[in-house]
Amino acid sequence: MTTKMLLDCDTGVDDTMAIMYAALHPDIDLLGMTTVWGNVDVPLATRNTLRVLDLVGRNDVPVAQGAAGPLTGGHADFAYAVHGRDGQGNAGDDVPVRAAESKTAVQHIIDTVRAHPGEVWLVPVGPLTNIAAALAVDPELPSLVAGVSLMGGATMAPGNVSAVAEANIWHDAEAAAAVFRAPWPIIMAGLDVTMRIVITPEHREQLAAGGDAGRYMARILQHYGEFYRDNAFGTWSCAMHDTIAVAAAAGTLDVRLAPVVNVEVDSTGGPGHGQTIADLRDMYRGYPPQEGAHCTVLLDVDDVIADEVVALLAAAK
Ligand code: BDR
Ligand code: CA
């Protein structure tokens, strides 16, 4: 059985790895992609997405461009320091790309879900602007998807843009609050697990010895790993982040601890702005069912997924 997936990216470096994994994995049926602002501005996210799909021979995957900034307006902040000015670690290329779809990301999400009721996993790995906008246009989406597997948030781990907030949630906390409130099954791949699954220098060498896709990935990881060296880990290595949400949806991740608990997003503009507040008070008694809870929070997963992802990418043409 393959997993039908629509992947929504703000295509920077770790998004690129997630796209390659989703596009190449035999258990994933990548039905489409949408792009969103976040790591970079949305036209650049779209270009990078189209380029990466081309690199892995997946020009059959339709891509629709989405939101250029937060749901309720306001300032759009980008993360060029993390992902490079081109969103590809300052090591991308200028190979021409095909055009994106003429429809909006919101329409693409709705059409894709409605074409396969009950089967599609939405996998947003950037700010949740497109998903919240689609929900506003089509409030029946929660009963029509298989689920939403998102990269974002932090429960027991610290934040990465503030003491408590993770970037994807913080960038558009209003959108995130709407997405977490909606009654669909959510898998939250947050910093609790994504900071613990890292790409090492050995992984990068393995990618560099691969085909076009692996070599491209190895090249764009350099700057990203330097950012993580200087700001988190002390030595060159980098967090995989977005691929974990893809693998969780596809069932290719070995999940060791993931309670289903209530989660809400702080969008109040105070010091907790962008925090995902998960009710983990039941941790001492094995997390019995919580009324109304529909969010599976990944707290412990097997890091062998990093080796598996690298092997898949390195083996590609
Ligand atoms: C998230 O923010 C972005 O920089 C990454 O692509 C990832 O989706 C990590 O906080
Ligand atoms: Ca991302």
Side-chain angles (χ1 to χ4, degrees):
M1 265 295 272
T2 57
T3 299
K4 291 185 173 35
M5 192 177 289
L6 186 137
L7 180 56
D8 179 80
C9 287
D10 57 334
T11 307
V13 176
D14 62 312
D15 305 73
T16 295
M17 183 171 274
I19 295 170
M20 288 186 178
Y21 183 72
L24 291 167
H25 201 291
D27 294 350
I28 299 175
D29 182 5
L30 184 59
L31 298 174
M33 286 200 56
T34 49
T35 61
V36 68
W37 73 286
N39 290 328
V40 296
D41 62 77
V42 74
L44 187 51
T46 304
R47 195 213 121 72
N48 290 343
T49 300
L50 292 163
R51 175 66 187 120
V52 175
L53 286 170
D54 182 42
L55 254 173
V56 290
R58 293 299 309 270
N59 280 325
D60 59 304
V61 177
V63 177
Q65 181 162 296
L71 196 62
T72 54
H75 183 64
D77 251 329
F78 306 111
Y80 298 115
V82 186
H83 297 270
R85 191 61 193 82
D86 61 356
Q88 301 285 274
N90 297 321
D93 56 35
D94 53 8
V95 172
V97 296
R98 69 188 151 107
E101 301 292 294
S102 50
K103 62 178 161 183
T104 62
V106 165
Q107 199 56 50
H108 197 34
I109 291 168
I110 294 169
D111 291 351
T112 307
V113 170
R114 285 197 169 268
H116 307 275
E119 291 188 78
V120 179
W121 275 92
L122 297 179
V123 183
V125 296
L128 290 162
T129 320
N130 290 338
I131 309 301
L135 191 59
V137 172
D138 190 345
E140 289 179 1
L141 282 182
S143 62
L144 293 170
V145 297
V148 177
S149 180
L150 61 90
M151 191 283 133
T155 63
M156 297 198 254
N160 61 2
V161 282
S162 77
V164 294
E166 180 280 332
N168 289 340
I169 305 298
W170 178 85
H171 267 129
D172 197 345
E174 286 76 14
V179 169
F180 275 85
R181 255 195 318 266
W184 37 25
I186 294 176
I187 299 174
M188 177 179 145
L191 300 176
D192 301 283
V193 289
T194 70
M195 284 297 281
R196 296 193 176 279
I197 303 176
V198 294
I199 297 297
T200 63
E202 292 72 30
H203 286 134
R204 187 163 173 260
E205 277 168 29
Q206 215 181 318
L207 290 165
D212 287 351
R215 285 202 303 275
Y216 182 90
M217 196 68 235
R219 206 169 73 220
I220 71 169
L221 279 169
Q222 180 60 34
H223 170 89
Y224 186 64
E226 285 167 7
F227 177 86
Y228 275 92
R229 179 194 64 202
D230 298 343
N231 294 279
F233 301 132
T235 57
W236 193 100
S237 59
C238 36
M240 262 177 70
H241 292 315
D242 292 349
T243 311
I244 303 307
V246 173
T252 55
L253 188 68
D254 183 6
V255 176
R256 291 168 173 162
L257 180 63
V260 182
V261 296
N262 286 299
V263 180
E264 61 181 313
V265 175
D266 183 339
S267 58
T268 55
H273 186 75
Q275 182 175 15
T276 44
I277 303 168
D279 189 348
L280 299 177
R281 286 174 289 180
D282 287 330
M283 67 184 289
Y284 307 105
R285 49 185 187 131
Y287 296 108
Q290 277 179 20
E291 200 183 330
H294 55 96
C295 183
T296 301
V297 178
L298 301 184
L299 291 179
D300 188 18
V301 303
D302 192 335
D303 66 2
V304 74
I305 188 69
D307 301 342
E308 293 168 359
V309 171
V310 167
L312 182 76
L313 268 53
K317 279 197 292 158

